[in-house]
Amino acid sequence: MTLLGRTTVNVVVGISVLYTLLPVMWLVLAATKNVDALFNSDLFGGFSLVENVKDLFAMDKGLYPRWYLNSLLYAVVGAAVSAFISIAAGYAFDKYAFRHKEKLFGLVLAAVMVPQTVLALPLYLMASEAGLVNTFWAVFIPALFNPFGVYLGRIFAQGYVPDEVLEAARIDGAGDLTTYFKVAFRMLGPGVVTLFLFQLTTIWNNFFLPMVMLSDQLLYPVSLGLYQWNSSATVSPEYYPVVIMGSLLAVLPLILAFMLLQRFWKAGLTAGAVK
């Protein structure tokens, strides 16, 4: 790589890093300030970190911890189940031959291109017919099925699970379920983690579907709850510091998940399995 090319790459990377980190830095600084310092753009004055945390957890009779717990249930449990479903479906599409397989997979690919906002109204009508509107399940169940996850699941099954390994397991007398759970699923570990992280981020940041489905504040996720508080801040400015502090705390689970699980992304778990 020439010096000019290396310099260009470094500049682009530097701009990308600044674009990513500057909003986070502003959020961290703003979370330490009171209302007056926020509106006066006082960079180092008005330190009020402890008070902001106390106000956040006390605001509206302590709704924020409930929203946080809701988001953890929606996102962590939903992402785990969704990753399991997606990887199993992708494995089935790759390793089994059944009627109209490619046509059905074409429908999966077509579903990937459908925006989630387009599906909100049909999902609401279906949930209304089932009596699930304004319940936990109205938000939880739709998050379990991810067409893009099924597509990635098939790609991971092609790359991580050699057919020869499955044939060897069947020769040893293992059934389909035993082969999947004791052989293939272990090889698909990086794929499961990747799908889990993708879906965790998607569900945690999900806003439109909960807004359509829920009216009970006790069922809100963090994203919808903070939106409601931010709307109230135009009338009651004391909501601004708690919204900013709540936004900062809302980022932490995603950062923690990526830090803890990134080591499981490593490829090559099946190296040497095929001789």
Side-chain angles (χ1 to χ4, degrees), residues 32-49:
T32 65
K33 301 183 182 303
N34 56 31
V35 178
D36 294 334
L38 282 175
F39 284 102
N40 294 332
S41 299
D42 189 352
L43 186 60
F44 298 105
F47 185 82
S48 185
L49 177 63

Side-chain angles (χ1 to χ4, degrees), residues 226-239:
L226 291 177
Y227 170 78
Q228 185 186 58
W229 276 358
N230 189 58
S231 300
S232 301
T234 57
V235 178
S236 304
E238 64 270 14
Y239 278 100

Side-chain angles (χ1 to χ4, degrees), residues 8-272:
T8 302
V9 170
N10 291 336
V11 170
V12 172
V13 171
I15 293 175
S16 301
V17 170
L18 288 176
Y19 179 80
T20 303
L21 293 182
L22 284 178
V24 178
M25 293 173 60
W26 180 91
L27 186 64
V28 172
L29 290 175
T32 65
K33 301 183 182 303
N34 56 31
V35 178
D36 294 334
L38 282 175
F39 284 102
N40 294 332
S41 299
D42 189 352
L43 186 60
F44 298 105
F47 185 82
S48 185
L49 177 63
V50 177
E51 290 77 5
N52 289 344
V53 174
K54 291 180 179 179
D55 291 343
L56 172 65
F57 285 92
M59 185 66 71
D60 291 348
K61 299 180 181 180
L63 275 177
Y64 186 80
R66 178 61 182 264
W67 295 340
Y68 212 90
L69 178 61
N70 291 341
S71 286
L72 288 175
L73 289 175
Y74 291 136
V76 177
V77 179
V81 177
S82 176
F84 179 81
I85 293 174
S86 297
I87 208 74
Y91 173 85
F93 271 116
D94 181 55
K95 301 305 179 184
Y96 291 98
F98 50 88
R99 193 175 182 183
H100 303 308
K101 180 175 79 170
E102 295 304 328
K103 292 180 180 179
L104 291 174
F105 191 69
L107 291 177
V108 172
L109 295 179
V112 172
M113 297 182 287
V114 178
Q116 293 299 311
T117 52
V118 174
L119 300 176
L121 181 57
L123 287 174
Y124 175 82
L125 295 176
M126 294 171 62
S128 179
E129 288 293 325
L132 297 179
V133 172
N134 200 33
T135 67
F136 170 85
W137 304 107
V139 177
F140 182 77
I141 292 176
L144 301 182
F145 305 100
N146 179 15
F148 184 65
V150 176
Y151 166 75
L152 287 181
R154 185 174 186 179
I155 299 301
F156 284 123
Q158 290 175 346
Y160 285 103
V161 186
D163 293 336
E164 291 84 350
V165 174
L166 301 182
E167 291 174 4
R170 294 189 181 103
I171 291 173
D172 290 339
D176 287 339
L177 290 179
T178 301
T179 301
Y180 174 69
F181 285 106
K182 291 189 175 182
V183 179
F185 192 75
R186 296 182 180 182
M187 295 178 175
L188 290 168
V192 174
V193 172
T194 301
L195 291 174
F196 173 80
L197 290 175
F198 280 152
Q199 195 67 355
L200 177 72
T201 305
T202 300
I203 301 174
W204 187 270
N205 294 324
N206 193 12
F207 168 77
F208 192 70
L209 183 64
M211 184 177 67
V212 171
M213 293 290 189
L214 303 177
S215 59
D216 185 357
Q217 288 187 345
L218 295 178
L219 297 174
Y220 283 3
V222 168
S223 57
L224 183 57
L226 291 177
Y227 170 78
Q228 185 186 58
W229 276 358
N230 189 58
S231 300
S232 301
T234 57
V235 178
S236 304
E238 64 270 14
Y239 278 100
Y240 280 119
V242 297
V243 168
I244 294 173
M245 177 58 69
S247 300
L248 178 61
L249 295 183
V251 177
L252 298 182
L254 298 181
I255 296 176
L256 184 63
F258 275 88
M259 290 177 62
L260 293 177
L261 297 177
Q262 63 177 344
R263 64 191 181 94
F264 294 103
W265 291 9
K266 295 179 181 178
L269 294 185
T270 60

